[in-house]
Amino acid sequence: MNAAHHHDAPKLSRNQSEILSCLRDSGEPLSAYAILDRVRKSGISHPPTVYRALNDLMKKGMVHRLESRSAFVACGHGACDGKFAFAICRACDKVVEILLTDEDQALLLGLAPEEISPEQVTVEIAGLCDDCRPTRLA
């Protein structure tokens, strides 16, 4: 599918469903091992099982990897086509997903030097969210 969002929910395995639910319920980025700790009670007990499910969910656009954190988050829009960026609060780890247009993606890929043929771009903006930013006195 080339649409920005998938409106038909893809068929998920039990493991994929458990891991996606775990990420949606967490409210914060989780490492694969943190996910494993949380889904053990559902019978998922081996790291390769978690990584396999995460890879499949990323291919479906339902989970994103935060490269700077080596952590995963559920897509904030259900599923994306791979054109997104993140703003991450460095104090509380709040993650806001930013959808990129085709033009945004092309501009970012165009920044690659000639000797590198770009295939993907990862943009993570670090800062402080409204709750963590110190209030300024006027």
Side-chain angles (χ1 to χ4, degrees), residues 59-76:
K59 286 178 186 170
K60 295 174 190 286
M62 301 178 82
V63 166
H64 305 304
R65 184 168 194 262
L66 300 176
E67 299 293 333
S68 66
R69 307 286 170 109
S70 294
F72 301 87
V73 293
C75 177

Side-chain angles (χ1 to χ4, degrees), residues 1-10 59-60 79-83:
M1 282 186 208
N2 290 334
H5 300 292
H6 302 279
H7 294 289
D8 298 325
K59 286 178 186 170
K60 295 174 190 286
C80 292
D81 65 356
K83 293 187 281 288

Side-chain angles (χ1 to χ4, degrees), residues 10 16 35 38 40 42-43 46 51 56 65 98 102 110 131:
Q16 292 168 352
I35 294 168
R38 293 179 183 208
R40 279 187 198 280
S42 67
H46 302 292
Y51 281 109
D56 290 341
R65 184 168 194 262
I98 305 162
D102 289 341
D131 292 336

Side-chain angles (χ1 to χ4, degrees), residues 15-16 18-24 26 28-42 44-47 49-51 53-54 57 63-64 70-74:
N15 291 346
Q16 292 168 352
E18 288 290 335
I19 288 168
L20 183 59
S21 293
C22 171
L23 284 169
R24 285 182 175 157
S26 76
E28 64 184 359
L30 296 175
S31 70
Y33 282 93
I35 294 168
L36 178 61
D37 287 342
R38 293 179 183 208
V39 297
R40 279 187 198 280
K41 64 185 174 291
S42 67
I44 300 171
S45 59
H46 302 292
T49 305
V50 172
Y51 281 109
L54 286 168
L57 290 166
V63 166
H64 305 304
S70 294
F72 301 87
V73 293

Side-chain angles (χ1 to χ4, degrees), residues 55-126:
N55 284 330
D56 290 341
L57 290 166
M58 286 188 296
K59 286 178 186 170
K60 295 174 190 286
M62 301 178 82
V63 166
H64 305 304
R65 184 168 194 262
L66 300 176
E67 299 293 333
S68 66
R69 307 286 170 109
S70 294
F72 301 87
V73 293
C75 177
H77 304 95
C80 292
D81 65 356
K83 293 187 281 288
F84 50 83
F86 299 101
I88 306 168
C89 179
R90 60 182 169 76
C92 71
D93 288 332
K94 176 180 181 176
V95 176
V96 178
E97 187 175 341
I98 305 162
L99 292 176
L100 301 176
T101 64
D102 289 341
E103 294 79 21
D104 295 334
Q105 183 84 350
L107 178 67
L108 291 166
L109 289 171
L111 295 172
E114 258 184 55
E115 63 267 15
I116 300 294
S117 178
E119 296 173 348
Q120 76 172 53
V121 64
T122 302
V123 177
E124 296 180 18
I125 302 165

